[in-house]
Amino acid sequence: MDLTGLILRVTAGRPHVLLATVPGGAAVRLAAERLLRARDWPQASTPAKADLLLVAGPDLPELRTALERLWRDMPAPRARVHARTPDEVEAALDSGRALLGSPAVQRESAAPPGEAVGHREGEHGAQERHEGDDQAPGHDGDGGGEGEAGRAGDAHGGPDGEHAPHDAGQDTEAEHGDGRQAPDGQVPDGQAPDGHGDHGDHGDNGDNGNHGDHGGHGGHGGHGNHGGHGGHGGHGGGQTDMPGGLPMAESGADRDGLTLDRLHLPLGPFLADWPAGLTVRLVLQGDVVQRVDVDEPARPADDAAVEAFWVQPWLRAASGEPVTVGEAVRRRAAAHLDSLGRLLAVAGWPAEAVRAGRLRDDLLSGAPRAAVAPRLERLTRRVGRSRTLAWLTRGIGVVTAQKAREAGAGGPAARADGDVTARYRQWLADIRHDLPRLEDPAPLDVAVEDSPRGPWSAEAPPSAALIALLPPLLEGAELAAARLVVASLDPDPEELVSRGVVEVARG
């Protein structure tokens, strides 16, 4: 009996797919999510749980090393494919399944790095890489930073009692910073609003089951054992590389006058429910963020044009094309649902996150108002009235209207005039406001209708202001709360590298 072949066929029958979206790949990601739901293929939240890596979007040279790190973290059997456009997604997934179920390919992939064949190209841009590609050019002591930092397991409890798969090592209780506990004894992702959570056993190949999708300590194996770092010598700060690439933390005084380890932790650019291509580098003492640096988003090569998906109606209208108000508000409402779904996933409410994603897809496919209105009303009512979700997010990442104006931010972040709770409720209010106008035939005036993240301007994309807000909001915050803050602002790096913005920058 060919046991290996049987295992590969079973794995390839329903593979766990890890989506790695690059700037310019939003449309590809949406197509992949729709197809994965239709095929009932589960999405993996971490490399350790993935069988198939799907890279969504154009080839960005700056992100190749991070992708290689992500690929190395995946256990065998595994396959890797690339879909550059939405039309390539189906062929890429079929190619990945075939590669995953091939004993010859998997034997070659499991060979020592010096013996593997470089890579195999599939149809329509789908490709599978073997261990020979793992040592990407420029790989050094920076180690497991970008592709693996922030990896996390599935959330174990939703705000209203929804339950996701429970990972080994997860604790089902988490205490709030002031000693309170959630009404049901569980807090999504094992954390409370202040970011306090269980920091127990973080083993199992560096996969952190305790923080759900927050990614706080993903891949770190706990504070004492930094096995998931893969080395951060390239971050500076006086760290010393140890055998095996393990870093020694530097020490420094914290806000309470104690001397604690200082750890360098990059979040992104490939993190579940995270802005595509965004890399936020944190310096931590304990669970408290002491310093924040945000990398410039990766830009395409000169011959590769990136179109920002969510602001396409505004880009087209600015260039003189006829665009209706109905098309623009439909895209805006879908963008808010996409952002809401990511926030709900980070908060540990996967069932409502899936519902938000389905409604988003229906709006993008042109579904009439009558077909989506009842479901949208149920979603906005349930999420907006959830006491537990509000309890989890209140007081986190406060952005006043004045602070938003000073940073140049507009749109929902400025109108919300408050914390994470205020911002997701503002999304819900905006969706309800846009719903009656889905078929409005009036021409779009970009000076009147805001893009999803604020008034559109190629000279100053609204996501640039949202990214500028992150360092002051995250400094001094608990680590797990940082994921909620980023999700509630949900900046779109595509806006900063889109064709229209680049053309304006070049004059």
Side-chain angles (χ1 to χ4, degrees):
M1 179 179 180
D2 182 8
L3 184 59
T4 299
L6 176 62
I7 293 173
L8 291 179
R9 286 193 296 274
V10 171
T11 302
R14 190 170 179 263
H16 289 65
V17 180
L18 180 64
L19 271 174
T21 308
V22 303
V28 184
R29 170 179 65 86
L30 296 174
E33 289 178 355
R34 286 194 299 270
L35 188 56
L36 291 176
R37 280 201 302 269
R39 293 187 176 190
D40 193 29
W41 289 10
Q43 280 189 241
S45 58
T46 70
K49 297 178 181 179
D51 308 308
L52 177 60
L53 173 63
L54 173 59
V55 182
D59 183 20
L60 301 188
E62 294 180 42
L63 296 179
R64 287 175 185 167
T65 301
L67 283 170
E68 293 301 331
R69 293 169 183 158
L70 199 69
W71 171 241
R72 282 199 302 273
D73 284 344
M74 291 176 56
R78 60 181 182 168
R80 172 176 172 176
V81 293
H82 191 166
R84 293 169 178 81
T85 67
D87 293 338
E88 295 179 4
V89 170
E90 186 169 8
L93 290 176
D94 290 340
S95 175
R97 180 165 59 180
L99 294 168
L100 193 58
S102 169
V105 169
Q106 294 307 317
R107 280 195 299 269
E108 193 174 293
S109 179
E115 300 177 12
V117 177
H119 66 272
R120 178 171 311 193
E121 294 289 343
E123 294 181 349
H124 303 286
Q127 66 179 10
E128 186 270 345
R129 293 178 183 264
H130 305 291
E131 291 291 340
D133 290 315
D134 286 351
Q135 296 300 328
H139 177 69
D140 55 25
D142 193 31
E146 295 169 327
E148 39 186 43
R151 295 176 297 159
D154 292 331
H156 65 76
D160 289 306
E162 304 280 2
H163 290 274
H166 189 87
D167 286 338
Q170 278 187 321
D171 196 338
T172 57
E173 291 189 356
E175 188 172 310
H176 189 277
D178 57 9
R180 295 172 294 163
Q181 287 196 324
D184 58 0
Q186 291 185 340
V187 178
D189 293 321
Q191 70 151 60
D194 289 344
H196 293 285
D198 178 31
H199 304 285
D201 182 7
H202 290 243
D204 189 15
N205 296 325
D207 184 29
N208 179 354
N210 296 332
H211 287 280
D213 285 331
H214 290 276
H217 297 286
H220 285 267
H223 284 177
N225 175 15
H226 307 291
H229 271 286
H232 287 287
H235 290 277
Q239 290 180 314
T240 304
D241 283 346
M242 297 294 288
L246 302 178
M248 288 185 64
E250 60 184 354
S251 61
D254 79 335
R255 60 187 179 183
D256 297 320
L258 303 175
T259 300
L260 299 176
D261 284 349
R262 229 180 236 158
L263 300 177
H264 295 258
L265 173 68
L267 297 180
F270 302 116
L271 188 60
D273 302 301
W274 180 263
L278 180 68
T279 302
V280 178
R281 300 186 181 275
L282 309 179
V283 177
L284 305 173
Q285 283 186 304
D287 269 2
V288 179
V289 178
Q290 298 290 339
R291 193 175 74 239
V292 180
D293 294 304
V294 181
D295 288 0
E296 288 288 329
R299 298 183 179 275
D302 291 338
D303 58 346
V306 170
E307 294 287 357
F309 178 79
W310 295 115
V311 295
Q312 278 185 8
W314 286 264
L315 289 171
R316 289 164 45 211
S319 67
E321 289 187 39
V323 179
T324 66
V325 169
E327 181 182 353
V329 299
R330 182 180 290 272
R331 184 65 61 96
R332 182 169 62 199
H336 291 336
L337 285 167
D338 186 61
S339 297
L340 178 66
R342 288 140 75 100
L343 174 66
L344 293 173
V346 170
W349 204 355
E352 291 306 305
V354 170
R355 292 187 181 99
R358 287 174 175 160
L359 282 165
R360 171 204 66 195
D361 293 342
D362 289 345
L363 285 177
L364 291 174
S365 65
R369 175 178 179 271
V372 297
R375 294 158 55 211
L376 272 171
E377 180 59 31
R378 285 195 295 271
L379 176 74
T380 57
R381 183 172 60 250
R382 185 171 186 187
V383 173
R385 295 179 180 178
S386 171
R387 295 181 180 178
T388 309
L389 181 61
W391 181 87
L392 286 168
T393 56
R394 69 171 180 245
I396 299 174
V398 176
V399 178
T400 64
Q402 180 179 354
K403 183 187 295 184
R405 285 194 300 269
E406 291 172 352
R415 291 194 301 273
D417 190 21
D419 55 10
V420 171
T421 308
R423 287 195 286 278
Y424 75 70
R425 286 177 173 170
Q426 185 64 53
W427 285 336
L428 297 174
D430 289 352
I431 293 169
R432 287 193 294 266
H433 177 264
D434 284 339
L435 191 57
R437 302 195 297 156
L438 295 181
E439 282 86 30
D440 190 338
L444 172 64
D445 184 350
V446 296
V448 174
E449 295 289 345
D450 284 358
S451 71
R453 290 163 176 84
W456 176 252
S457 169
E459 293 82 1
S463 286
L466 296 179
I467 291 175
L469 282 171
L470 289 178
L473 284 178
L474 300 183
E475 288 175 2
E478 300 285 347
L479 175 59
R483 284 296 313 268
L484 287 169
V485 172
V486 174
S488 69
L489 291 173
D490 198 27
D492 183 9
E494 283 189 5
E495 292 183 4
L496 280 64
V497 299
S498 68
R499 186 205 308 263
V501 173
V502 172
E503 289 173 352
V504 169
R506 291 175 177 173

